[in-house]
Amino acid sequence: MRSTVRLDDDLMLDLKAKAQSEGISLARMLNRTLRTGLKVERERPAIRQQFQQNSYAMGTPLVDVDKALALAGTLDDQEVIQKMSLRR
């Protein structure tokens, strides 16, 4: 069967070089390469097992989580102050 296929320049150069080094035609090299690629695709497992993350209840928060960013900022500030006091 004949067909027109557009290949990237680098692929065509690689195919031609490989065909020439093996002493076969470009068409035969292209067919072999396509068969190998399709075979690999068919042999791959069709369905991968979906990752599932377990979650656990952590109880009621001990702080107001509505202002979590403010709390994080305060904790960062306290840590910086503690580090600065240790340098003296």
Side-chain angles (χ1 to χ4, degrees), residues 49-66:
Q49 185 176 0
Q50 185 70 25
F51 174 77
Q52 185 174 355
Q53 178 68 45
N54 295 327
S55 60
Y56 302 93
M58 296 177 61
T60 306
L62 301 176
V63 295
D64 182 13
V65 292
D66 291 335

Side-chain angles (χ1 to χ4, degrees), residues 10-74:
D10 59 325
L11 291 175
M12 181 59 100
L13 291 173
D14 289 346
L15 283 169
K16 281 183 178 180
K18 184 87 168 149
Q20 187 176 21
S21 71
E22 294 185 19
I24 60 176
S25 70
L26 177 62
R28 184 169 289 189
M29 175 57 66
L30 183 58
N31 284 324
R32 189 174 79 185
T33 304
L34 289 172
R35 278 191 188 95
T36 303
L38 291 172
K39 182 180 177 185
V40 168
E41 286 294 321
R42 281 192 298 262
E43 291 175 355
R44 280 189 188 161
I47 300 173
R48 289 186 175 185
Q49 185 176 0
Q50 185 70 25
F51 174 77
Q52 185 174 355
Q53 178 68 45
N54 295 327
S55 60
Y56 302 93
M58 296 177 61
T60 306
L62 301 176
V63 295
D64 182 13
V65 292
D66 291 335
K67 298 185 181 183
L69 290 176
L71 176 62
T74 302

